Structure formats: C-alpha cells, structure tokens
Amino acid sequence: MQRRPGVLYYAGVGGILVFFLFPFGIMVTNALKTEVQITAYPPVWIFAPTWKNFEAVLGTHAFGRYIVNSSVVGAG
C-alpha cells in the first residue's frame, strides 16, 4: 500500500513555489508600472496597468533583430 503525501508536504512544495516564482511576479508587475511607480517609496501595490513599456521596447527598438541575435548565439 502506498502512502499519500500529507498536508505538510504540500505546504512545503507551496512554499518552495512561492519562493521561486516571486521574482517572476515582481517582473510582471514592474513591466506594467510606470517608472515613477516602480521607484516609489513606499511601494505602489495598487496601480492602473500601462502597456507603455511594451510599446517602447517593441516599437522604438530593433527588438526583432535582438531576438534573432540571441537565438543564433543560444543555438550555437
């Protein structure tokens, strides 16, 4: 008979997931904030999301070329 993992196991796995996924959550929220909101003290937790950062990266820079260069280097 196999033993099923208990609540403590799932709590540990959940804690590890939060620890490793927290930086990605911060990156996503910072990508949707303005520069003033990112550097504000105390931190801004409730904000109106903006797509200006994505427009700047995808519209004004040669982002497609950078992706191709990174892909070639990564494949190499």
Side-chain angles (χ1 to χ4, degrees), residues 57 60-72:
V57 168
T60 60
H61 302 293
F63 185 72
R65 183 65 185 164
Y66 300 153
I67 291 293
V68 170
N69 288 346
S70 296
S71 299
V72 168

Side-chain angles (χ1 to χ4, degrees), residues 48-65:
T50 180
W51 294 98
K52 296 282 185 189
N53 297 330
F54 293 97
E55 291 173 6
V57 168
L58 298 174
T60 60
H61 302 293
F63 185 72
R65 183 65 185 164

Side-chain angles (χ1 to χ4, degrees), residues 17-30:
L17 280 175
V18 167
F19 179 77
F20 282 104
L21 294 179
F22 183 74
F24 294 103
I26 295 297
M27 285 190 300
V28 169
T29 57
N30 283 346

